[in-house]
Amino acid sequence: TVTITDPDGRALPGANVTFTVAVPGVPAITSSVLSTGADGKVSFQTTLPAGATDGQCSLTAIVDTAAFGETTARNAITITK
């Protein structure tokens, strides 16, 4: 779950968000375009496919809004079995 806010920290409803998960050993997993609710939040959940291997993964959220344009946020996690 991510919360999208405007430059003043207020929740931003109606923002378009696309999530991408890059996992070692399998092709990248990409969500459809999702929209934030009135609280500025949107969630994406997926199951890692067979063949995913241990290692560092990249989580990316691409946000596009009519009022403020586009931005990207990235985070890393480590997969262990």
XYZ file of all heavy atoms in Angstrom:
559
model
N 0.842 -1.185 0.000
C 0.000 0.000 0.000
C 0.883 1.241 0.000
O 1.852 1.310 0.741
C -0.922 0.024 1.234
O -1.740 -1.137 1.230
C -1.795 1.266 1.247
N 0.536 2.199 -0.833
C 1.215 3.489 -0.824
C 0.172 4.578 -0.606
O -0.997 4.411 -0.941
C 1.993 3.779 -2.138
C 3.108 2.777 -2.336
C 1.076 3.809 -3.341
N 0.611 5.667 -0.021
C -0.235 6.841 0.142
C 0.379 7.960 -0.681
O 1.544 8.300 -0.507
C -0.320 7.271 1.621
O -0.829 6.179 2.390
C -1.241 8.481 1.782
N -0.410 8.506 -1.583
C 0.045 9.585 -2.455
C -0.457 10.905 -1.877
O -1.637 11.048 -1.573
C -0.484 9.398 -3.897
C -0.178 7.995 -4.428
C 0.065 10.486 -4.808
C 1.286 7.625 -4.446
N 0.473 11.847 -1.725
C 0.112 13.152 -1.182
C 0.564 14.252 -2.134
O 1.472 14.061 -2.941
C 0.760 13.383 0.199
O 2.175 13.287 0.075
C 0.265 12.367 1.224
N -0.061 15.410 -1.994
C 0.345 16.576 -2.780
C 1.562 17.224 -2.104
O 1.998 16.759 -1.037
C -0.828 17.544 -2.980
C -1.283 18.244 -1.712
O -0.558 18.221 -0.693
O -2.372 18.833 -1.730
N 2.138 18.257 -2.698
C 3.326 18.883 -2.105
C 3.116 19.424 -0.679
O 4.074 19.608 0.060
C 3.656 20.017 -3.078
C 3.125 19.542 -4.384
C 1.862 18.804 -4.031
N 1.863 19.632 -0.287
C 1.572 20.119 1.066
C 1.257 18.982 2.038
O 0.870 19.230 3.185
C 0.409 21.115 1.037
C 0.765 22.381 0.275
O 1.919 22.847 0.423
O -0.089 22.883 -0.478
N 1.376 17.722 1.573
C 1.152 16.579 2.447
C -0.289 16.117 2.560
O -0.602 15.253 3.368
N -1.178 16.676 1.746
C -2.592 16.265 1.772
C -2.798 15.062 0.850
O -2.192 14.994 -0.225
C -3.491 17.417 1.327
C -3.483 18.612 2.283
C -4.374 19.711 1.751
N -3.815 20.193 0.493
C -3.550 21.452 0.196
N -3.831 22.396 1.053
N -3.040 21.789 -0.958
N -3.663 14.132 1.268
C -3.976 12.960 0.457
C -4.428 13.391 -0.929
O -5.145 14.381 -1.083
C -5.069 12.138 1.139
N -3.986 12.642 -1.950
C -4.288 12.995 -3.336
C -5.148 11.903 -3.977
O -4.644 10.886 -4.439
C -2.985 13.186 -4.108
C -3.076 13.849 -5.472
C -3.727 15.228 -5.376
C -1.698 13.985 -6.067
N -6.472 12.077 -3.985
C -7.346 11.090 -4.606
C -7.251 11.141 -6.126
O -6.926 12.178 -6.707
C -8.744 11.502 -4.136
C -8.647 12.946 -3.817
C -7.218 13.193 -3.396
N -7.499 10.007 -6.765
C -7.551 9.951 -8.228
C -6.206 9.921 -8.922
O -6.139 10.041 -10.138
N -5.115 9.740 -8.177
C -3.794 9.618 -8.809
C -3.678 8.232 -9.437
O -4.151 7.243 -8.878
C -2.691 9.824 -7.779
N -3.073 8.153 -10.612
C -2.855 6.869 -11.282
C -1.505 6.308 -10.856
O -0.490 7.007 -10.911
C -2.896 7.042 -12.794
C -4.268 7.423 -13.280
O -5.269 6.904 -12.809
N -4.329 8.358 -14.203
N -1.496 5.046 -10.431
C -0.281 4.408 -9.935
C -0.091 3.071 -10.643
O -1.026 2.288 -10.764
C -0.350 4.183 -8.409
C 0.935 3.552 -7.901
C -0.636 5.488 -7.678
N 1.138 2.831 -11.111
C 1.515 1.533 -11.679
C 2.661 0.987 -10.847
O 3.657 1.677 -10.623
C 1.965 1.671 -13.149
O 0.915 2.295 -13.893
C 2.284 0.315 -13.756
N 2.505 -0.243 -10.369
C 3.535 -0.903 -9.572
C 4.309 -1.883 -10.442
O 3.733 -2.560 -11.286
C 2.903 -1.709 -8.428
C 2.233 -0.866 -7.387
C 0.884 -0.581 -7.463
C 2.953 -0.383 -6.311
C 0.255 0.178 -6.487
C 2.336 0.387 -5.335
C 0.979 0.669 -5.423
N 5.624 -1.977 -10.208
C 6.464 -2.976 -10.859
C 7.340 -3.622 -9.793
O 7.904 -2.933 -8.951
C 7.361 -2.360 -11.949
O 6.525 -1.745 -12.928
C 8.217 -3.414 -12.625
N 7.426 -4.964 -9.847
C 8.280 -5.726 -8.946
C 9.277 -6.481 -9.810
O 8.887 -7.286 -10.654
C 7.461 -6.721 -8.097
C 8.354 -7.466 -7.119
C 6.316 -6.016 -7.376
N 10.560 -6.195 -9.624
C 11.620 -6.891 -10.357
C 12.281 -7.880 -9.399
O 12.888 -7.475 -8.405
C 12.639 -5.901 -10.894
N 12.120 -9.174 -9.689
C 12.578 -10.255 -8.822
C 13.600 -11.102 -9.571
O 13.371 -11.449 -10.739
C 11.377 -11.137 -8.399
C 11.819 -12.269 -7.496
C 10.297 -10.306 -7.740
N 14.710 -11.466 -8.925
C 15.691 -12.317 -9.609
C 15.071 -13.641 -10.072
O 14.290 -14.256 -9.355
C 16.748 -12.582 -8.527
C 16.607 -11.475 -7.550
C 15.147 -11.118 -7.566
N 15.402 -14.036 -11.293
C 14.987 -15.333 -11.810
C 13.675 -15.381 -12.560
O 13.324 -16.409 -13.130
N 12.912 -14.284 -12.544
C 11.625 -14.266 -13.245
C 11.426 -12.903 -13.920
O 12.038 -11.920 -13.518
C 10.431 -14.550 -12.293
C 10.518 -15.946 -11.711
C 10.337 -13.526 -11.193
N 10.563 -12.849 -14.938
C 10.284 -11.549 -15.564
C 9.627 -10.589 -14.566
O 8.989 -11.014 -13.605
C 9.305 -11.891 -16.695
C 9.493 -13.347 -16.950
C 9.889 -13.948 -15.631
N 9.780 -9.307 -14.798
C 9.175 -8.288 -13.936
C 7.663 -8.457 -13.893
O 7.032 -8.864 -14.875
C 9.541 -6.897 -14.424
N 7.098 -8.154 -12.752
C 5.652 -8.214 -12.538
C 5.148 -6.777 -12.514
O 5.653 -5.952 -11.736
C 5.329 -8.913 -11.205
C 5.893 -10.336 -11.209
C 3.833 -8.900 -10.938
C 5.986 -10.956 -9.830
N 4.167 -6.450 -13.355
C 3.651 -5.087 -13.435
C 2.143 -5.096 -13.240
O 1.432 -5.909 -13.839
C 3.995 -4.461 -14.804
O 5.410 -4.482 -14.977
C 3.504 -3.030 -14.899
N 1.659 -4.190 -12.414
C 0.217 -4.064 -12.186
C -0.431 -3.329 -13.352
O 0.243 -2.707 -14.171
C -0.043 -3.280 -10.894
O 0.233 -1.891 -11.082
N -1.738 -3.379 -13.381
C -2.476 -2.484 -14.263
C -2.414 -1.096 -13.625
O -1.904 -0.934 -12.520
C -3.929 -2.951 -14.396
O -4.535 -2.998 -13.114
N -2.920 -0.087 -14.304
C -2.969 1.251 -13.722
C -4.066 1.253 -12.662
O -5.209 0.901 -12.937
C -3.242 2.328 -14.791
C -3.391 3.695 -14.142
C -2.138 2.338 -15.831
N -3.695 1.630 -11.442
C -4.625 1.661 -10.315
C -4.807 3.106 -9.881
O -3.910 3.929 -10.071
C -4.060 0.834 -9.154
C -3.697 -0.612 -9.500
C -2.904 -1.256 -8.371
C -4.945 -1.406 -9.799
N -5.953 3.430 -9.282
C -6.217 4.811 -8.847
C -6.341 4.889 -7.336
O -6.932 4.005 -6.708
C -7.511 5.329 -9.476
O -7.348 5.467 -10.867
N -5.807 5.967 -6.777
C -5.922 6.177 -5.341
C -7.359 6.522 -4.973
O -8.097 7.125 -5.745
C -4.994 7.307 -4.860
O -5.310 8.508 -5.565
C -3.538 6.952 -5.063
N -7.736 6.125 -3.755
C -9.059 6.444 -3.235
C -9.076 7.840 -2.631
O -8.100 8.603 -2.717
N -10.162 8.163 -1.974
C -10.321 9.485 -1.354
C -9.246 9.756 -0.302
O -8.894 10.903 -0.049
C -11.706 9.604 -0.726
N -8.690 8.675 0.275
C -7.649 8.805 1.301
C -6.242 8.850 0.708
O -5.241 8.890 1.429
C -7.743 7.664 2.307
C -7.595 6.286 1.661
O -7.458 6.194 0.412
O -7.631 5.288 2.409
N -6.140 8.838 -0.637
C -4.843 8.890 -1.303
C -4.109 7.558 -1.329
O -2.967 7.489 -1.768
N -4.752 6.490 -0.890
C -4.096 5.185 -0.799
C -4.489 4.267 -1.946
O -5.611 4.321 -2.454
C -4.441 4.498 0.520
C -3.879 5.228 1.713
C -4.177 4.504 3.000
C -3.586 5.303 4.166
N -3.739 4.605 5.431
N -3.533 3.402 -2.322
C -3.792 2.365 -3.310
C -2.881 1.181 -2.959
O -1.774 1.372 -2.458
C -3.551 2.859 -4.760
C -2.113 3.226 -5.005
C -4.048 1.841 -5.779
N -3.387 -0.031 -3.190
C -2.637 -1.244 -2.851
C -2.457 -2.124 -4.059
O -3.285 -2.134 -4.974
C -3.367 -2.051 -1.772
O -3.438 -1.336 -0.575
N -1.377 -2.904 -4.020
C -1.097 -3.907 -5.050
C -0.543 -5.131 -4.330
O 0.330 -5.009 -3.473
C -0.078 -3.383 -6.059
C 0.428 -4.418 -7.024
C -0.419 -4.969 -7.974
C 1.741 -4.834 -6.995
C 0.032 -5.922 -8.869
C 2.211 -5.779 -7.893
C 1.353 -6.331 -8.835
N -1.079 -6.279 -4.688
C -0.620 -7.530 -4.089
C -0.387 -8.526 -5.202
O -1.166 -8.592 -6.170
C -1.682 -8.053 -3.121
C -1.294 -9.302 -2.398
C -2.343 -9.706 -1.369
O -3.132 -8.890 -0.898
N -2.358 -10.970 -1.027
N 0.678 -9.316 -5.090
C 0.974 -10.316 -6.102
C 1.621 -11.523 -5.431
O 2.065 -11.445 -4.284
C 1.894 -9.749 -7.203
O 1.955 -10.682 -8.275
C 3.289 -9.460 -6.694
N 1.672 -12.618 -6.139
C 2.372 -13.818 -5.694
C 3.583 -13.996 -6.588
O 3.465 -13.911 -7.813
C 1.455 -15.055 -5.803
O 0.303 -14.830 -4.975
C 2.173 -16.311 -5.353
N 4.739 -14.221 -5.979
C 5.943 -14.439 -6.780
C 5.840 -15.790 -7.474
O 5.503 -16.789 -6.847
C 7.189 -14.386 -5.900
C 7.435 -13.061 -5.197
C 8.697 -13.147 -4.355
C 7.539 -11.926 -6.190
N 6.126 -15.823 -8.769
C 6.000 -17.077 -9.509
C 7.140 -18.039 -9.182
O 8.191 -17.646 -8.668
C 6.061 -16.632 -10.971
C 6.740 -15.311 -10.959
C 6.475 -14.702 -9.630
N 6.908 -19.309 -9.524
C 7.959 -20.315 -9.387
C 9.169 -19.855 -10.197
O 9.030 -19.226 -11.244
C 7.456 -21.659 -9.905
N 10.345 -20.134 -9.694
C 11.562 -19.720 -10.385
C 12.196 -18.487 -9.788
O 13.334 -18.160 -10.092
N 11.450 -17.782 -8.912
C 12.035 -16.621 -8.242
C 13.171 -17.116 -7.348
O 13.043 -18.131 -6.683
C 10.988 -15.892 -7.417
N 14.279 -16.407 -7.363
C 15.437 -16.818 -6.585
C 15.732 -15.806 -5.491
O 15.242 -14.676 -5.515
C 16.681 -16.967 -7.491
O 16.931 -15.723 -8.148
C 16.459 -18.035 -8.549
N 16.536 -16.249 -4.508
C 16.955 -15.349 -3.440
C 17.689 -14.151 -4.030
O 18.373 -14.271 -5.040
C 17.909 -16.064 -2.480
C 17.217 -17.133 -1.650
O 15.984 -17.279 -1.765
O 17.912 -17.811 -0.888
N 17.559 -13.024 -3.383
C 18.298 -11.850 -3.818
C 17.509 -10.578 -3.606
O 16.395 -10.588 -3.101
N 18.114 -9.482 -4.014
C 17.499 -8.172 -3.847
C 16.477 -7.922 -4.949
O 16.723 -8.208 -6.119
C 18.547 -7.080 -3.858
C 18.000 -5.745 -3.445
C 19.087 -4.713 -3.214
O 20.206 -4.886 -3.639
N 18.743 -3.636 -2.547
N 15.337 -7.387 -4.562
C 14.258 -7.060 -5.496
C 14.050 -5.554 -5.514
O 14.294 -4.870 -4.536
C 12.952 -7.706 -5.051
S 13.044 -9.456 -4.926
N 13.557 -5.068 -6.633
C 13.243 -3.650 -6.786
C 11.738 -3.482 -6.856
O 11.070 -4.151 -7.652
C 13.891 -3.116 -8.059
O 13.448 -1.809 -8.320
N 11.198 -2.619 -6.013
C 9.778 -2.280 -6.027
C 9.655 -0.846 -6.513
O 10.286 0.052 -5.959
C 9.185 -2.397 -4.628
C 9.438 -3.710 -3.890
C 8.965 -3.615 -2.462
C 8.771 -4.854 -4.616
N 8.855 -0.631 -7.550
C 8.711 0.695 -8.134
C 7.240 1.075 -8.207
O 6.406 0.249 -8.583
C 9.317 0.728 -9.557
O 10.670 0.292 -9.506
C 9.258 2.120 -10.160
N 6.939 2.300 -7.851
C 5.600 2.861 -8.032
C 5.747 4.101 -8.908
O 6.476 5.034 -8.558
C 4.972 3.226 -6.698
N 5.081 4.082 -10.049
C 5.060 5.238 -10.944
C 3.724 5.930 -10.737
O 2.673 5.308 -10.884
C 5.238 4.820 -12.415
C 6.564 4.089 -12.592
C 5.155 6.034 -13.337
C 6.714 3.419 -13.941
N 3.780 7.202 -10.376
C 2.575 7.968 -10.051
C 2.379 9.054 -11.097
O 3.313 9.778 -11.434
C 2.708 8.610 -8.652
C 1.458 9.398 -8.306
C 3.004 7.546 -7.603
N 1.150 9.166 -11.590
C 0.815 10.194 -12.577
C -0.449 10.915 -12.119
O -1.460 10.273 -11.822
C 0.599 9.557 -13.949
C 0.402 10.586 -15.040
O 0.954 11.699 -14.933
O -0.311 10.278 -16.015
N -0.359 12.231 -12.025
C -1.517 13.037 -11.629
C -1.727 14.168 -12.625
O -0.765 14.671 -13.205
C -1.333 13.656 -10.221
O -0.319 14.657 -10.282
C -0.962 12.612 -9.190
N -2.966 14.560 -12.790
C -3.274 15.672 -13.689
C -2.701 16.974 -13.149
O -2.191 17.806 -13.898
C -4.789 15.785 -13.868
N -2.746 17.156 -11.832
C -2.328 18.424 -11.236
C -0.817 18.566 -11.062
O -0.290 19.668 -11.142
C -3.007 18.594 -9.875
N -0.112 17.437 -10.823
C 1.302 17.536 -10.456
C 2.247 16.743 -11.351
O 3.448 16.708 -11.095
C 1.490 17.094 -9.000
C 0.679 17.909 -8.035
C -0.486 17.397 -7.490
C 1.051 19.199 -7.702
C -1.254 18.146 -6.611
C 0.297 19.956 -6.827
C -0.860 19.427 -6.279
N 1.738 16.098 -12.384
C 2.604 15.364 -13.303
C 2.978 13.982 -12.794
O 2.241 13.367 -12.043
N 4.166 13.519 -13.197
C 4.596 12.144 -12.922
C 5.820 12.120 -12.013
O 6.686 12.991 -12.096
C 4.935 11.436 -14.240
C 5.259 9.966 -14.079
C 5.502 9.276 -15.416
O 4.549 9.194 -16.211
O 6.633 8.828 -15.636
N 5.864 11.109 -11.153
C 7.037 10.876 -10.313
C 7.178 9.373 -10.095
O 6.239 8.608 -10.315
C 6.938 11.622 -8.967
O 8.199 11.537 -8.302
C 5.854 11.051 -8.077
N 8.362 8.955 -9.680
C 8.636 7.544 -9.447
C 9.280 7.373 -8.087
O 10.143 8.166 -7.699
C 9.598 7.001 -10.530
O 8.992 7.192 -11.809
C 9.903 5.535 -10.336
N 8.854 6.338 -7.366
C 9.465 5.995 -6.080
C 9.941 4.552 -6.163
O 9.242 3.691 -6.708
C 8.483 6.167 -4.951
N 11.140 4.289 -5.635
C 11.703 2.934 -5.651
C 12.118 2.520 -4.242
O 12.534 3.356 -3.447
C 12.920 2.866 -6.568
C 12.570 2.977 -8.019
C 13.792 2.738 -8.918
N 13.409 2.774 -10.318
C 13.293 3.867 -11.040
N 13.551 5.029 -10.498
N 12.942 3.813 -12.299
N 11.992 1.223 -3.999
C 12.438 0.663 -2.737
C 13.005 -0.708 -3.022
O 12.666 -1.324 -4.026
C 11.258 0.565 -1.765
C 11.704 0.527 -0.332
O 12.866 0.334 -0.021
N 10.751 0.695 0.588
N 13.873 -1.189 -2.150
C 14.478 -2.505 -2.333
C 14.121 -3.386 -1.147
O 14.051 -2.927 -0.014
C 15.987 -2.381 -2.461
N 13.877 -4.661 -1.450
C 13.687 -5.668 -0.415
C 14.561 -6.863 -0.796
O 15.029 -6.970 -1.937
C 12.222 -6.110 -0.260
C 11.690 -6.744 -1.559
C 11.349 -4.956 0.179
C 10.352 -7.416 -1.400
N 14.784 -7.756 0.147
C 15.564 -8.951 -0.133
C 14.672 -10.170 0.026
O 13.955 -10.308 1.025
C 16.772 -9.057 0.827
O 17.572 -7.887 0.649
C 17.590 -10.289 0.536
N 14.704 -11.051 -0.972
C 13.946 -12.303 -0.945
C 14.848 -13.398 -0.404
O 15.972 -13.560 -0.883
C 13.486 -12.696 -2.369
C 12.633 -11.612 -2.984
C 12.812 -14.041 -2.355
C 11.189 -11.698 -2.748
N 14.367 -14.124 0.590
C 15.082 -15.301 1.083
C 14.071 -16.429 1.218
O 12.894 -16.194 1.485
C 15.758 -15.050 2.443
O 14.769 -14.631 3.383
C 16.826 -13.972 2.337
N 14.536 -17.613 1.008
C 13.640 -18.772 1.128
C 13.878 -19.475 2.439
O 14.901 -19.442 3.015
C 13.876 -19.742 -0.025
C 13.474 -19.141 -1.353
C 13.690 -20.139 -2.460
C 13.333 -19.503 -3.783
N 13.548 -20.382 -4.897
